[in-house]
Amino acid sequence: MEPTIMTGNTAFCNRLAYKVDMPERGDKIVFLFQETGEYYFKRVIGLQGEEVSFKDGHVYINGTLLEEDYLDPSIVTECEKTFKVPAACVFVLGDNRDKSIDSRNSSVGCIDKED
């Protein structure tokens, strides 16, 4: 998530926040990546039922360009796939896109609300 959250920074998380509501686009969430046993800190990009696609280094939600003011203008989001976000799930990306292991990676995929 650099430069938003730098390596070695401390972040406080509220697990109760999403017991009732789903995360919203732009929220930063923490989840346990079962494959490595590590916690990942990512930004919510796609919401349940949405289609997330990529073109010319940019992110599109249901065909509309996603404005990402929080990213450095030089950041390019590489991906050739289109994703449909399942019910009760979110699609996440790291802010450091070229080094991020996130929902674009099939081993991570969309994140279930329970996670």
Side-chain angles (χ1 to χ4, degrees):
M1 283 292 291
E2 291 182 358
T4 304
I5 302 292
M6 299 301 289
T7 301
N9 283 162
T10 300
F12 292 93
C13 303
N14 178 0
R15 291 184 56 91
L16 298 176
Y18 301 122
K19 288 295 181 186
V20 176
D21 294 322
M22 288 291 294
E24 296 178 15
R25 189 177 343 277
D27 286 358
K28 294 170 285 299
I29 65 169
V30 175
F31 61 94
L32 179 63
F33 182 37
Q34 298 294 335
E35 190 171 298
T36 64
E38 297 176 319
Y39 286 94
Y40 281 12
F41 192 83
K42 304 294 177 186
R43 188 181 299 273
V44 174
I45 299 297
L47 307 176
Q48 61 184 352
E50 293 182 333
E51 181 181 271
V52 181
S53 58
F54 305 88
K55 181 179 178 188
D56 299 326
H58 298 285
V59 180
Y60 290 80
I61 305 296
N62 296 329
T64 301
L65 177 66
L66 177 63
E67 296 294 332
E68 297 186 278
D69 299 337
Y70 43 83
L71 291 181
D72 182 290
S74 67
I75 296 290
V76 175
T77 306
E78 296 292 337
C79 192
E80 300 294 322
K81 302 176 189 170
T82 296
F83 301 86
K84 180 74 170 179
V85 184
C89 292
V90 292
F91 185 93
V92 297
L93 294 174
D95 286 359
N96 192 2
R97 302 280 166 86
D98 61 338
K99 296 184 174 117
S100 181
I101 299 172
D102 48 40
S103 290
R104 294 173 290 174
N105 186 309
S106 62
S107 65
V108 175
C110 291
I111 309 303
D112 190 281
K113 177 186 176 192
E114 296 304 314
D115 294 334

